[in-house]
């Protein structure tokens, strides 16, 4: 049996009387006429072929309502030019004193605070057109609106979907990094370096502990973080948070190795990361091995020359991974067109 495809005229029918009644409650007659004219100018065939909601990562998170004006996005509504008064000036002390004396004469026998509030709100401070003071003509951008409800701007994340309380450190990390609690819990986090540091001051020796942590999602995101505090728990939490916030995408060839051999150098530590065929594995020292596990690299060889300082080794490895040049960048720099021979000539069968 073949699939029956409906025609565009059946998919996009004109508004019925019931639908127009519902739309009239939200839009003005002029807006309704503009909507109908805009839809009539578009071919139904184009709507069937192209009129669909975007699902790519760059799509908007909302469907815009063109009946409302957004001060920060749309063109602002400015006052008419007739409101401008070139002779507008502020009142002097004598004129303000005269307004105050007039208000005192008109006070009732038992005045209250409301009378003074009315005087402050309704008394003009300038001499000239009233519209020039109340609704002036300005070319400045409108001010950023203030949210009446703080939860609109700062969402309440004290409880997760299951109703369980979230740790304040995790809640702060969610706001700063943009990841959800479930995503953070699935990250692979590994502490690579742990050292106790002593700082000599006039108060004596102040000891603290240092952690160097690496974090990744196993699919190309990788970051390292450092933390130092007097208590081990605070230092480890600080290093983990910094590693998650510093996560960056790592280019991976076939999602298993790197694009060619790359070098990294931090201090006296120099290393070379080399690409390897499928099934080779990760053959390198332990620090580079853990970094590759977090980044999702399964085939790689490495050689560390000169100093083997753990901290510099970790930083040099991340520097080398980020310095890769993918083929698209090389082709763009040479002004060439990149063609995947395996997919074009062999139909994707490698």
């Amino acid at each position: 049996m073949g699939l029956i495809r409906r025609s565009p005229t059946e998919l996009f029918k004109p508004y019925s009387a019931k639908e127009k009644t519902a739309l009239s409650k939200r839009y003005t007659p002029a807006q309704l006429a503009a909507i109908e004219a805009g839809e009539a100018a578009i071919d139904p065939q184009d709507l069937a072929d192209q009129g669909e909601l975007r699902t790519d990562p760059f799509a908007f998170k909302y469907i815009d309502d063109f009946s409302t004006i957004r001060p920060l996005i749309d063109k602002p509504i400015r006052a008419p030019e007739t409101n401008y008064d070139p002779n507008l000036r502020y009142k002097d002390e004598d004129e303000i004193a005269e307004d105050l004396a007039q208000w005192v004469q008109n006070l009732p026998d038992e005045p209250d605070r409301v009378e003074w509030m009315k005087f402050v709100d309704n008394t003009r401070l300038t001499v000239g057109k009233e519209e020039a003071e109340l609704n002036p003509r300005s070319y400045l951008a409108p001010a950023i609106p203030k949210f009446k409800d703080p939860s609109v701007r700062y969402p309440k994340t004290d409880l997760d979907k299951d109703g369980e309380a979230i740790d304040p450190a995790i809640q702060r990390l969610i706001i700063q990094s943009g990841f959800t609690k479930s995503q953070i819990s699935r990250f692979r986090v590994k502490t690579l370096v742990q050292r106790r540091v002593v700082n000599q001051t006039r108060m004596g020796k102040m000891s603290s502990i240092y952690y160097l942590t690496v974090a990744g999602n196993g699919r190309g995101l990788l970051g390292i973080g450092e933390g130092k505090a007097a208590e081990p728990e605070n230092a480890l939490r600080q290093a983990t948070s910094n590693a998650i916030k510093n996560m960056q995408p790592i280019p991976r060839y076939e999602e298993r190795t790197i694009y060619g051999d790359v070098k990294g150098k931090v201090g006296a530590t120099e290393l070379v990361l080399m690409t390897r065929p499928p099934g080779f594995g990760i053959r390198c020292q332990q620090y580079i091995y853990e970094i590759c596990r977090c980044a999702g690299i399964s085939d790689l060889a490495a050689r560390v020359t000169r100093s083997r300082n753990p901290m510099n080794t970790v930083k040099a490895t991340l520097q080398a991974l980020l310095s890769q040049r993918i083929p698209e960048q090389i082709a763009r720099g040479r002004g060439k067109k990149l063609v995947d021979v395996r997919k074009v000539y062999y139909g994707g069968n490698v």
Side-chain angles (χ1 to χ4, degrees), residues 241-291:
S241 301
N242 292 336
I244 295 176
K245 289 186 290 186
N246 296 334
M247 292 175 66
Q248 303 179 56
I250 302 297
R252 296 182 302 160
Y253 177 68
E254 295 181 349
E255 298 184 355
R256 61 172 185 82
T257 186
I258 59 177
Y259 287 90
D261 300 349
V262 290
K263 297 181 180 180
K265 182 180 183 302
V266 174
T269 302
E270 297 180 0
L271 53 83
V272 181
L273 304 182
M274 296 165 283
T275 180
R276 287 295 180 263
F280 183 84
I282 307 176
R283 303 183 188 180
C284 53
Q285 60 164 278
Q286 55 178 346
Y287 303 111
I288 304 178
Y289 175 84
E290 295 295 343
I291 292 176

Side-chain angles (χ1 to χ4, degrees), residues 100-112 115-116 119:
L100 181 60
Q102 184 69 23
W103 173 72
V104 172
Q105 293 178 2
N106 299 332
L107 277 177
D109 297 335
E110 298 181 357
D112 53 4
E115 299 295 334
W116 170 253
F119 171 74

Side-chain angles (χ1 to χ4, degrees), residues 7 14-15 27 86 134 194 197 199 227 258-259 266 283 324 327-328:
S7 62
Y15 291 118
Y27 301 99
L134 302 180
Q194 176 183 354
V197 184
N199 185 22
I258 59 177
Y259 287 90
V266 174
R283 303 183 188 180
Q324 300 181 64
E328 287 79 3

Side-chain angles (χ1 to χ4, degrees), residues 23 31 37 52 60 86-87 94 130 147 159 169 179 191 193 210 214 247 263 265-266 271 295 300 321 323 329 340:
L23 291 174
Q31 292 174 341
E52 58 183 8
F60 291 103
N87 301 322
D94 297 336
E130 184 178 3
F147 296 96
L159 300 177
F179 297 112
T191 301
V193 181
Y210 168 87
V214 61
M247 292 175 66
K263 297 181 180 180
K265 182 180 183 302
V266 174
L271 53 83
L300 182 133
L321 291 175
S323 65
Q329 295 177 348
D340 192 344

